[in-house]
Structures are given as structure tokens and as C-alpha cells.
Amino acid sequence: MHSRGACPGSSSACTVRRAKKVRDARVVEVKAATNKAREDVARMLQEKETEAQRVRWEIEARGRATLKEAENEARGLQHLGRSYQDNRAVLQYQLALRRLKVAETLMRHAPRPVVVRSGGGEQSALSTLVLAQMLPKLITPSPSPPGNGHADGHDLTPGETAPAGH
């Protein structure tokens, strides 16, 4: 007799049932494979998106670091420029002081003109000789405060001439 679960009747009905079960099992397998493939694709897309985000963050971090470096360099150049200007001003000031000292030294050691008025007539060779011998003594500075170098202690004002009798 027939066992339990066996197909009663024709064998074609049994074959149809078996084919249906096989087909249903394959549909389940295909659905499971499809779901697994979707999960794999979703996981792969998530990994790619995570990697892309990491790359974006790295690019942003490098950009921020480059920007910070450029800002620091600009600040350094501004500081250097101010220092250069300050140094230049100090050097110009020192140069001006040096010029004043040199001018003062030149002024103290510069020869002073002496104008001698004669009595109105022709000068003789003797009076020229005596004057030439006396001039170095008249011009040599005395220990008194600097003046116009007049030997009798009376300083001459600019444009004034010493009388011939001195």
C-alpha cells in the first residue's frame, strides 16, 4: 500500500508536486541570493562612501594646514617688513647723526678766512712779509671758547673784517 506522503494516484501528479517544491526552493534560494547581493552592494557602497568621506576630510585638513601655513608666513613677512622699516629708520637716524658729527668736525677744523684792510695805499713787500708771518699766530685757536678766531679775543661777526692795526 501507499506510504504516508507518497503520491496517491498517478505519478505525474507526484512529479508536478516535486517540480513545484524544487521550483519553490529555487525561488527561495534566488531571493536569498538577491538579498545577499543587495546587502553586499549596500555594504560596498557604505564602505566607498566612508572612504570618500575620509578622503574629503584629509583634503580639508591639508587645505586648512596649507591655509594656516600661508597665514603664518604672511604674518612673518609683515613682521619682517616692519622690522626692516624700523631698522631702516634707525640706520637713517644714525647716518644723520654721523653726518652732523662729521660736519661739526669739519667746521671746527676748517680754515677761517681773514680779511686785512690796509691803509688805502699799495702794500709794500715788507708789509706782506710781516703779515704772512703774523697770520699763523693770529689764526691758531686759543684755549678760550671757539669763536671766529680773532687774536684779541673780540669775535668777528659774519661779514666783519679785522682792522689792519691788529
PDB file of all heavy atoms in Angstrom, residues 83-118:
ATOM      1  N   SER A  83      60.053  95.182  10.789  1.00  0.00           N
ATOM      2  CA  SER A  83      61.416  95.208  11.334  1.00  0.00           C
ATOM      3  C   SER A  83      62.364  95.885  10.357  1.00  0.00           C
ATOM      4  O   SER A  83      63.224  96.672  10.756  1.00  0.00           O
ATOM      5  CB  SER A  83      61.909  93.785  11.603  1.00  0.00           C
ATOM      6  OG  SER A  83      61.134  93.180  12.598  1.00  0.00           O
ATOM      7  N   TYR A  84      62.194  95.582   9.078  1.00  0.00           N
ATOM      8  CA  TYR A  84      63.041  96.200   8.058  1.00  0.00           C
ATOM      9  C   TYR A  84      62.839  97.714   8.059  1.00  0.00           C
ATOM     10  O   TYR A  84      63.804  98.471   8.019  1.00  0.00           O
ATOM     11  CB  TYR A  84      62.709  95.622   6.682  1.00  0.00           C
ATOM     12  CG  TYR A  84      63.440  96.309   5.562  1.00  0.00           C
ATOM     13  CD1 TYR A  84      64.786  96.055   5.330  1.00  0.00           C
ATOM     14  CD2 TYR A  84      62.796  97.225   4.742  1.00  0.00           C
ATOM     15  CE1 TYR A  84      65.468  96.685   4.316  1.00  0.00           C
ATOM     16  CE2 TYR A  84      63.472  97.873   3.717  1.00  0.00           C
ATOM     17  CZ  TYR A  84      64.803  97.593   3.504  1.00  0.00           C
ATOM     18  OH  TYR A  84      65.468  98.234   2.507  1.00  0.00           O
ATOM     19  N   GLN A  85      61.574  98.140   8.131  1.00  0.00           N
ATOM     20  CA  GLN A  85      61.298  99.585   8.159  1.00  0.00           C
ATOM     21  C   GLN A  85      61.891 100.219   9.415  1.00  0.00           C
ATOM     22  O   GLN A  85      62.473 101.304   9.354  1.00  0.00           O
ATOM     23  CB  GLN A  85      59.794  99.847   8.098  1.00  0.00           C
ATOM     24  CG  GLN A  85      59.195  99.574   6.735  1.00  0.00           C
ATOM     25  CD  GLN A  85      57.685  99.716   6.731  1.00  0.00           C
ATOM     26  OE1 GLN A  85      57.044  99.706   7.778  1.00  0.00           O
ATOM     27  NE2 GLN A  85      57.113  99.827   5.543  1.00  0.00           N
ATOM     28  N   ASP A  86      61.722  99.546  10.551  1.00  0.00           N
ATOM     29  CA  ASP A  86      62.271 100.073  11.801  1.00  0.00           C
ATOM     30  C   ASP A  86      63.794 100.159  11.717  1.00  0.00           C
ATOM     31  O   ASP A  86      64.390 101.171  12.097  1.00  0.00           O
ATOM     32  CB  ASP A  86      61.867  99.188  12.983  1.00  0.00           C
ATOM     33  CG  ASP A  86      60.373  99.263  13.279  1.00  0.00           C
ATOM     34  OD1 ASP A  86      59.709 100.176  12.747  1.00  0.00           O
ATOM     35  OD2 ASP A  86      59.880  98.405  14.030  1.00  0.00           O
ATOM     36  N   ASN A  87      64.412  99.089  11.218  1.00  0.00           N
ATOM     37  CA  ASN A  87      65.875  99.088  11.084  1.00  0.00           C
ATOM     38  C   ASN A  87      66.333 100.175  10.126  1.00  0.00           C
ATOM     39  O   ASN A  87      67.342 100.842  10.373  1.00  0.00           O
ATOM     40  CB  ASN A  87      66.372  97.725  10.594  1.00  0.00           C
ATOM     41  CG  ASN A  87      66.255  96.653  11.649  1.00  0.00           C
ATOM     42  OD1 ASN A  87      66.070  96.949  12.825  1.00  0.00           O
ATOM     43  ND2 ASN A  87      66.342  95.414  11.230  1.00  0.00           N
ATOM     44  N   ARG A  88      65.595 100.353   9.051  1.00  0.00           N
ATOM     45  CA  ARG A  88      65.962 101.382   8.081  1.00  0.00           C
ATOM     46  C   ARG A  88      65.860 102.766   8.720  1.00  0.00           C
ATOM     47  O   ARG A  88      66.732 103.614   8.519  1.00  0.00           O
ATOM     48  CB  ARG A  88      65.049 101.284   6.864  1.00  0.00           C
ATOM     49  CG  ARG A  88      65.439 102.220   5.773  1.00  0.00           C
ATOM     50  CD  ARG A  88      64.674 101.961   4.516  1.00  0.00           C
ATOM     51  NE  ARG A  88      65.132 102.884   3.499  1.00  0.00           N
ATOM     52  CZ  ARG A  88      64.505 103.138   2.396  1.00  0.00           C
ATOM     53  NH1 ARG A  88      63.403 102.508   2.126  1.00  0.00           N
ATOM     54  NH2 ARG A  88      64.981 104.000   1.541  1.00  0.00           N
ATOM     55  N   ALA A  89      64.799 103.001   9.504  1.00  0.00           N
ATOM     56  CA  ALA A  89      64.650 104.296  10.168  1.00  0.00           C
ATOM     57  C   ALA A  89      65.790 104.531  11.154  1.00  0.00           C
ATOM     58  O   ALA A  89      66.349 105.636  11.226  1.00  0.00           O
ATOM     59  CB  ALA A  89      63.303 104.354  10.891  1.00  0.00           C
ATOM     60  N   VAL A  90      66.137 103.488  11.909  1.00  0.00           N
ATOM     61  CA  VAL A  90      67.244 103.615  12.868  1.00  0.00           C
ATOM     62  C   VAL A  90      68.550 103.905  12.128  1.00  0.00           C
ATOM     63  O   VAL A  90      69.325 104.778  12.532  1.00  0.00           O
ATOM     64  CB  VAL A  90      67.362 102.335  13.733  1.00  0.00           C
ATOM     65  CG1 VAL A  90      68.669 102.304  14.499  1.00  0.00           C
ATOM     66  CG2 VAL A  90      66.192 102.232  14.687  1.00  0.00           C
ATOM     67  N   LEU A  91      68.781 103.193  11.030  1.00  0.00           N
ATOM     68  CA  LEU A  91      70.010 103.416  10.266  1.00  0.00           C
ATOM     69  C   LEU A  91      70.040 104.823   9.669  1.00  0.00           C
ATOM     70  O   LEU A  91      71.094 105.478   9.661  1.00  0.00           O
ATOM     71  CB  LEU A  91      70.147 102.372   9.164  1.00  0.00           C
ATOM     72  CG  LEU A  91      70.483 100.959   9.649  1.00  0.00           C
ATOM     73  CD1 LEU A  91      70.442  99.964   8.497  1.00  0.00           C
ATOM     74  CD2 LEU A  91      71.820 100.917  10.341  1.00  0.00           C
ATOM     75  N   GLN A  92      68.896 105.300   9.183  1.00  0.00           N
ATOM     76  CA  GLN A  92      68.851 106.657   8.639  1.00  0.00           C
ATOM     77  C   GLN A  92      69.131 107.687   9.739  1.00  0.00           C
ATOM     78  O   GLN A  92      69.840 108.665   9.526  1.00  0.00           O
ATOM     79  CB  GLN A  92      67.495 106.930   7.988  1.00  0.00           C
ATOM     80  CG  GLN A  92      67.337 106.233   6.652  1.00  0.00           C
ATOM     81  CD  GLN A  92      65.949 106.425   6.066  1.00  0.00           C
ATOM     82  OE1 GLN A  92      65.005 106.769   6.765  1.00  0.00           O
ATOM     83  NE2 GLN A  92      65.829 106.183   4.768  1.00  0.00           N
ATOM     84  N   TYR A  93      68.590 107.437  10.929  1.00  0.00           N
ATOM     85  CA  TYR A  93      68.831 108.332  12.060  1.00  0.00           C
ATOM     86  C   TYR A  93      70.315 108.322  12.423  1.00  0.00           C
ATOM     87  O   TYR A  93      70.928 109.375  12.621  1.00  0.00           O
ATOM     88  CB  TYR A  93      67.972 107.893  13.247  1.00  0.00           C
ATOM     89  CG  TYR A  93      68.271 108.651  14.516  1.00  0.00           C
ATOM     90  CD1 TYR A  93      67.834 109.961  14.690  1.00  0.00           C
ATOM     91  CD2 TYR A  93      69.001 108.061  15.552  1.00  0.00           C
ATOM     92  CE1 TYR A  93      68.109 110.662  15.847  1.00  0.00           C
ATOM     93  CE2 TYR A  93      69.280 108.751  16.713  1.00  0.00           C
ATOM     94  CZ  TYR A  93      68.833 110.050  16.856  1.00  0.00           C
ATOM     95  OH  TYR A  93      69.113 110.744  18.004  1.00  0.00           O
ATOM     96  N   GLN A  94      70.908 107.124  12.501  1.00  0.00           N
ATOM     97  CA  GLN A  94      72.326 107.023  12.843  1.00  0.00           C
ATOM     98  C   GLN A  94      73.192 107.687  11.771  1.00  0.00           C
ATOM     99  O   GLN A  94      74.188 108.341  12.093  1.00  0.00           O
ATOM    100  CB  GLN A  94      72.719 105.552  13.008  1.00  0.00           C
ATOM    101  CG  GLN A  94      72.142 104.916  14.254  1.00  0.00           C
ATOM    102  CD  GLN A  94      72.394 103.424  14.310  1.00  0.00           C
ATOM    103  OE1 GLN A  94      72.743 102.786  13.321  1.00  0.00           O
ATOM    104  NE2 GLN A  94      72.197 102.843  15.502  1.00  0.00           N
ATOM    105  N   LEU A  95      72.798 107.529  10.521  1.00  0.00           N
ATOM    106  CA  LEU A  95      73.537 108.164   9.433  1.00  0.00           C
ATOM    107  C   LEU A  95      73.443 109.686   9.535  1.00  0.00           C
ATOM    108  O   LEU A  95      74.446 110.389   9.353  1.00  0.00           O
ATOM    109  CB  LEU A  95      73.003 107.688   8.081  1.00  0.00           C
ATOM    110  CG  LEU A  95      73.697 108.239   6.843  1.00  0.00           C
ATOM    111  CD1 LEU A  95      75.170 107.856   6.832  1.00  0.00           C
ATOM    112  CD2 LEU A  95      73.005 107.729   5.586  1.00  0.00           C
ATOM    113  N   ALA A  96      72.271 110.201   9.863  1.00  0.00           N
ATOM    114  CA  ALA A  96      72.108 111.651  10.019  1.00  0.00           C
ATOM    115  C   ALA A  96      72.973 112.165  11.173  1.00  0.00           C
ATOM    116  O   ALA A  96      73.616 113.215  11.055  1.00  0.00           O
ATOM    117  CB  ALA A  96      70.639 111.993  10.250  1.00  0.00           C
ATOM    118  N   LEU A  97      72.998 111.415  12.303  1.00  0.00           N
ATOM    119  CA  LEU A  97      73.858 111.811  13.424  1.00  0.00           C
ATOM    120  C   LEU A  97      75.322 111.819  13.005  1.00  0.00           C
ATOM    121  O   LEU A  97      76.077 112.740  13.351  1.00  0.00           O
ATOM    122  CB  LEU A  97      73.670 110.857  14.610  1.00  0.00           C
ATOM    123  CG  LEU A  97      72.408 111.042  15.438  1.00  0.00           C
ATOM    124  CD1 LEU A  97      72.374 110.003  16.559  1.00  0.00           C
ATOM    125  CD2 LEU A  97      72.335 112.437  16.022  1.00  0.00           C
ATOM    126  N   ARG A  98      75.718 110.809  12.270  1.00  0.00           N
ATOM    127  CA  ARG A  98      77.111 110.722  11.816  1.00  0.00           C
ATOM    128  C   ARG A  98      77.445 111.906  10.899  1.00  0.00           C
ATOM    129  O   ARG A  98      78.536 112.477  10.999  1.00  0.00           O
ATOM    130  CB  ARG A  98      77.330 109.388  11.089  1.00  0.00           C
ATOM    131  CG  ARG A  98      78.729 109.183  10.606  1.00  0.00           C
ATOM    132  CD  ARG A  98      79.666 108.923  11.766  1.00  0.00           C
ATOM    133  NE  ARG A  98      81.008 108.742  11.252  1.00  0.00           N
ATOM    134  CZ  ARG A  98      82.083 109.247  11.801  1.00  0.00           C
ATOM    135  NH1 ARG A  98      81.988 109.927  12.921  1.00  0.00           N
ATOM    136  NH2 ARG A  98      83.252 109.062  11.274  1.00  0.00           N
ATOM    137  N   ARG A  99      76.521 112.257  10.024  1.00  0.00           N
ATOM    138  CA  ARG A  99      76.742 113.405   9.137  1.00  0.00           C
ATOM    139  C   ARG A  99      76.916 114.679   9.941  1.00  0.00           C
ATOM    140  O   ARG A  99      77.772 115.514   9.617  1.00  0.00           O
ATOM    141  CB  ARG A  99      75.568 113.562   8.176  1.00  0.00           C
ATOM    142  CG  ARG A  99      75.558 112.553   7.057  1.00  0.00           C
ATOM    143  CD  ARG A  99      74.373 112.777   6.139  1.00  0.00           C
ATOM    144  NE  ARG A  99      74.311 111.757   5.117  1.00  0.00           N
ATOM    145  CZ  ARG A  99      73.195 111.314   4.587  1.00  0.00           C
ATOM    146  NH1 ARG A  99      72.042 111.800   4.978  1.00  0.00           N
ATOM    147  NH2 ARG A  99      73.226 110.380   3.663  1.00  0.00           N
ATOM    148  N   LEU A 100      76.078 114.821  10.995  1.00  0.00           N
ATOM    149  CA  LEU A 100      76.202 116.010  11.837  1.00  0.00           C
ATOM    150  C   LEU A 100      77.559 116.051  12.542  1.00  0.00           C
ATOM    151  O   LEU A 100      78.190 117.106  12.628  1.00  0.00           O
ATOM    152  CB  LEU A 100      75.071 116.054  12.873  1.00  0.00           C
ATOM    153  CG  LEU A 100      73.689 116.400  12.331  1.00  0.00           C
ATOM    154  CD1 LEU A 100      72.649 116.251  13.431  1.00  0.00           C
ATOM    155  CD2 LEU A 100      73.677 117.814  11.762  1.00  0.00           C
ATOM    156  N   LYS A 101      78.016 114.906  13.035  1.00  0.00           N
ATOM    157  CA  LYS A 101      79.313 114.866  13.717  1.00  0.00           C
ATOM    158  C   LYS A 101      80.442 115.188  12.742  1.00  0.00           C
ATOM    159  O   LYS A 101      81.370 115.920  13.087  1.00  0.00           O
ATOM    160  CB  LYS A 101      79.540 113.490  14.346  1.00  0.00           C
ATOM    161  CG  LYS A 101      78.696 113.246  15.571  1.00  0.00           C
ATOM    162  CD  LYS A 101      78.943 111.869  16.149  1.00  0.00           C
ATOM    163  CE  LYS A 101      78.032 111.624  17.346  1.00  0.00           C
ATOM    164  NZ  LYS A 101      78.215 110.278  17.886  1.00  0.00           N
ATOM    165  N   VAL A 102      80.371 114.647  11.552  1.00  0.00           N
ATOM    166  CA  VAL A 102      81.400 114.918  10.544  1.00  0.00           C
ATOM    167  C   VAL A 102      81.371 116.400  10.175  1.00  0.00           C
ATOM    168  O   VAL A 102      82.420 117.053  10.071  1.00  0.00           O
ATOM    169  CB  VAL A 102      81.201 114.025   9.297  1.00  0.00           C
ATOM    170  CG1 VAL A 102      82.044 114.491   8.129  1.00  0.00           C
ATOM    171  CG2 VAL A 102      81.533 112.572   9.647  1.00  0.00           C
ATOM    172  N   ALA A 103      80.181 116.949   9.996  1.00  0.00           N
ATOM    173  CA  ALA A 103      80.068 118.376   9.654  1.00  0.00           C
ATOM    174  C   ALA A 103      80.634 119.239  10.777  1.00  0.00           C
ATOM    175  O   ALA A 103      81.332 120.231  10.528  1.00  0.00           O
ATOM    176  CB  ALA A 103      78.612 118.732   9.382  1.00  0.00           C
ATOM    177  N   GLU A 104      80.348 118.849  12.027  1.00  0.00           N
ATOM    178  CA  GLU A 104      80.871 119.598  13.172  1.00  0.00           C
ATOM    179  C   GLU A 104      82.401 119.539  13.186  1.00  0.00           C
ATOM    180  O   GLU A 104      83.079 120.559  13.394  1.00  0.00           O
ATOM    181  CB  GLU A 104      80.296 119.035  14.470  1.00  0.00           C
ATOM    182  CG  GLU A 104      80.785 119.757  15.702  1.00  0.00           C
ATOM    183  CD  GLU A 104      80.271 119.123  16.987  1.00  0.00           C
ATOM    184  OE1 GLU A 104      79.635 118.049  16.938  1.00  0.00           O
ATOM    185  OE2 GLU A 104      80.516 119.713  18.053  1.00  0.00           O
ATOM    186  N   THR A 105      82.949 118.350  12.958  1.00  0.00           N
ATOM    187  CA  THR A 105      84.409 118.198  12.935  1.00  0.00           C
ATOM    188  C   THR A 105      85.015 119.030  11.819  1.00  0.00           C
ATOM    189  O   THR A 105      86.028 119.715  12.021  1.00  0.00           O
ATOM    190  CB  THR A 105      84.782 116.716  12.751  1.00  0.00           C
ATOM    191  OG1 THR A 105      84.181 115.971  13.811  1.00  0.00           O
ATOM    192  CG2 THR A 105      86.275 116.514  12.768  1.00  0.00           C
ATOM    193  N   LEU A 106      84.399 118.967  10.643  1.00  0.00           N
ATOM    194  CA  LEU A 106      84.909 119.760   9.525  1.00  0.00           C
ATOM    195  C   LEU A 106      84.833 121.252   9.830  1.00  0.00           C
ATOM    196  O   LEU A 106      85.748 122.007   9.507  1.00  0.00           O
ATOM    197  CB  LEU A 106      84.127 119.437   8.246  1.00  0.00           C
ATOM    198  CG  LEU A 106      84.399 118.077   7.624  1.00  0.00           C
ATOM    199  CD1 LEU A 106      83.451 117.843   6.454  1.00  0.00           C
ATOM    200  CD2 LEU A 106      85.845 117.965   7.175  1.00  0.00           C
ATOM    201  N   MET A 107      83.748 121.663  10.452  1.00  0.00           N
ATOM    202  CA  MET A 107      83.571 123.069  10.769  1.00  0.00           C
ATOM    203  C   MET A 107      84.633 123.534  11.777  1.00  0.00           C
ATOM    204  O   MET A 107      85.198 124.616  11.639  1.00  0.00           O
ATOM    205  CB  MET A 107      82.176 123.306  11.362  1.00  0.00           C
ATOM    206  CG  MET A 107      81.873 124.760  11.648  1.00  0.00           C
ATOM    207  SD  MET A 107      80.297 124.954  12.474  1.00  0.00           S
ATOM    208  CE  MET A 107      80.752 124.452  14.116  1.00  0.00           C
ATOM    209  N   ARG A 108      84.944 122.696  12.761  1.00  0.00           N
ATOM    210  CA  ARG A 108      85.937 123.090  13.772  1.00  0.00           C
ATOM    211  C   ARG A 108      87.345 123.168  13.191  1.00  0.00           C
ATOM    212  O   ARG A 108      88.166 123.927  13.664  1.00  0.00           O
ATOM    213  CB  ARG A 108      85.919 122.102  14.932  1.00  0.00           C
ATOM    214  CG  ARG A 108      84.711 122.264  15.793  1.00  0.00           C
ATOM    215  CD  ARG A 108      84.761 121.322  16.952  1.00  0.00           C
ATOM    216  NE  ARG A 108      83.484 121.373  17.642  1.00  0.00           N
ATOM    217  CZ  ARG A 108      83.372 121.214  18.923  1.00  0.00           C
ATOM    218  NH1 ARG A 108      84.426 120.995  19.659  1.00  0.00           N
ATOM    219  NH2 ARG A 108      82.191 121.279  19.491  1.00  0.00           N
ATOM    220  N   HIS A 109      87.617 122.341  12.201  1.00  0.00           N
ATOM    221  CA  HIS A 109      88.965 122.299  11.653  1.00  0.00           C
ATOM    222  C   HIS A 109      89.107 123.033  10.319  1.00  0.00           C
ATOM    223  O   HIS A 109      90.168 122.996   9.711  1.00  0.00           O
ATOM    224  CB  HIS A 109      89.416 120.843  11.487  1.00  0.00           C
ATOM    225  CG  HIS A 109      89.558 120.146  12.803  1.00  0.00           C
ATOM    226  ND1 HIS A 109      88.516 119.516  13.421  1.00  0.00           N
ATOM    227  CD2 HIS A 109      90.628 120.011  13.620  1.00  0.00           C
ATOM    228  CE1 HIS A 109      88.927 118.999  14.559  1.00  0.00           C
ATOM    229  NE2 HIS A 109      90.214 119.279  14.717  1.00  0.00           N
ATOM    230  N   ALA A 110      88.059 123.662   9.880  1.00  0.00           N
ATOM    231  CA  ALA A 110      88.114 124.363   8.600  1.00  0.00           C
ATOM    232  C   ALA A 110      88.908 125.666   8.761  1.00  0.00           C
ATOM    233  O   ALA A 110      88.862 126.319   9.808  1.00  0.00           O
ATOM    234  CB  ALA A 110      86.704 124.682   8.125  1.00  0.00           C
ATOM    235  N   PRO A 111      89.645 126.017   7.749  1.00  0.00           N
ATOM    236  CA  PRO A 111      90.389 127.284   7.838  1.00  0.00           C
ATOM    237  C   PRO A 111      89.415 128.460   7.852  1.00  0.00           C
ATOM    238  O   PRO A 111      88.363 128.424   7.238  1.00  0.00           O
ATOM    239  CB  PRO A 111      91.243 127.282   6.574  1.00  0.00           C
ATOM    240  CG  PRO A 111      90.603 126.314   5.650  1.00  0.00           C
ATOM    241  CD  PRO A 111      89.879 125.337   6.496  1.00  0.00           C
ATOM    242  N   ARG A 112      89.782 129.474   8.601  1.00  0.00           N
ATOM    243  CA  ARG A 112      88.931 130.666   8.713  1.00  0.00           C
ATOM    244  C   ARG A 112      89.535 131.787   7.866  1.00  0.00           C
ATOM    245  O   ARG A 112      90.725 132.066   7.966  1.00  0.00           O
ATOM    246  CB  ARG A 112      88.846 131.101  10.171  1.00  0.00           C
ATOM    247  CG  ARG A 112      88.138 130.063  11.021  1.00  0.00           C
ATOM    248  CD  ARG A 112      87.971 130.574  12.441  1.00  0.00           C
ATOM    249  NE  ARG A 112      87.249 129.598  13.228  1.00  0.00           N
ATOM    250  CZ  ARG A 112      87.830 128.707  13.999  1.00  0.00           C
ATOM    251  NH1 ARG A 112      89.132 128.672  14.106  1.00  0.00           N
ATOM    252  NH2 ARG A 112      87.100 127.873  14.687  1.00  0.00           N
ATOM    253  N   PRO A 113      88.705 132.373   7.076  1.00  0.00           N
ATOM    254  CA  PRO A 113      89.239 133.466   6.254  1.00  0.00           C
ATOM    255  C   PRO A 113      89.517 134.696   7.109  1.00  0.00           C
ATOM    256  O   PRO A 113      88.796 134.988   8.051  1.00  0.00           O
ATOM    257  CB  PRO A 113      88.130 133.734   5.242  1.00  0.00           C
ATOM    258  CG  PRO A 113      86.898 133.262   5.909  1.00  0.00           C
ATOM    259  CD  PRO A 113      87.305 132.129   6.805  1.00  0.00           C
ATOM    260  N   VAL A 114      90.585 135.377   6.795  1.00  0.00           N
ATOM    261  CA  VAL A 114      90.935 136.617   7.481  1.00  0.00           C
ATOM    262  C   VAL A 114      91.076 137.696   6.408  1.00  0.00           C
ATOM    263  O   VAL A 114      91.792 137.516   5.431  1.00  0.00           O
ATOM    264  CB  VAL A 114      92.256 136.478   8.250  1.00  0.00           C
ATOM    265  CG1 VAL A 114      92.656 137.804   8.872  1.00  0.00           C
ATOM    266  CG2 VAL A 114      92.137 135.398   9.304  1.00  0.00           C
ATOM    267  N   VAL A 115      90.351 138.777   6.626  1.00  0.00           N
ATOM    268  CA  VAL A 115      90.441 139.908   5.689  1.00  0.00           C
ATOM    269  C   VAL A 115      91.192 141.027   6.397  1.00  0.00           C
ATOM    270  O   VAL A 115      90.853 141.420   7.509  1.00  0.00           O
ATOM    271  CB  VAL A 115      89.036 140.380   5.266  1.00  0.00           C
ATOM    272  CG1 VAL A 115      89.123 141.576   4.349  1.00  0.00           C
ATOM    273  CG2 VAL A 115      88.284 139.235   4.616  1.00  0.00           C
ATOM    274  N   VAL A 116      92.226 141.501   5.783  1.00  0.00           N
ATOM    275  CA  VAL A 116      93.039 142.568   6.372  1.00  0.00           C
ATOM    276  C   VAL A 116      92.854 143.820   5.523  1.00  0.00           C
ATOM    277  O   VAL A 116      93.060 143.790   4.308  1.00  0.00           O
ATOM    278  CB  VAL A 116      94.522 142.171   6.413  1.00  0.00           C
ATOM    279  CG1 VAL A 116      95.356 143.295   6.976  1.00  0.00           C
ATOM    280  CG2 VAL A 116      94.700 140.889   7.218  1.00  0.00           C
ATOM    281  N   ARG A 117      92.449 144.914   6.175  1.00  0.00           N
ATOM    282  CA  ARG A 117      92.308 146.185   5.459  1.00  0.00           C
ATOM    283  C   ARG A 117      93.592 146.981   5.624  1.00  0.00           C
ATOM    284  O   ARG A 117      94.101 147.137   6.730  1.00  0.00           O
ATOM    285  CB  ARG A 117      91.158 147.004   6.056  1.00  0.00           C
ATOM    286  CG  ARG A 117      89.816 146.523   5.543  1.00  0.00           C
ATOM    287  CD  ARG A 117      88.751 147.467   5.961  1.00  0.00           C
ATOM    288  NE  ARG A 117      87.997 146.794   7.035  1.00  0.00           N
ATOM    289  CZ  ARG A 117      87.275 147.386   7.929  1.00  0.00           C
ATOM    290  NH1 ARG A 117      87.196 148.696   7.951  1.00  0.00           N
ATOM    291  NH2 ARG A 117      86.617 146.727   8.824  1.00  0.00           N
ATOM    292  N   SER A 118      94.082 147.432   4.539  1.00  0.00           N
ATOM    293  CA  SER A 118      95.294 148.268   4.618  1.00  0.00           C
ATOM    294  C   SER A 118      94.874 149.732   4.656  1.00  0.00           C
ATOM    295  O   SER A 118      93.700 150.052   4.485  1.00  0.00           O
ATOM    296  CB  SER A 118      96.221 147.985   3.441  1.00  0.00           C
ATOM    297  OG  SER A 118      95.566 148.291   2.231  1.00  0.00           O
TER     298      SER A 118
END
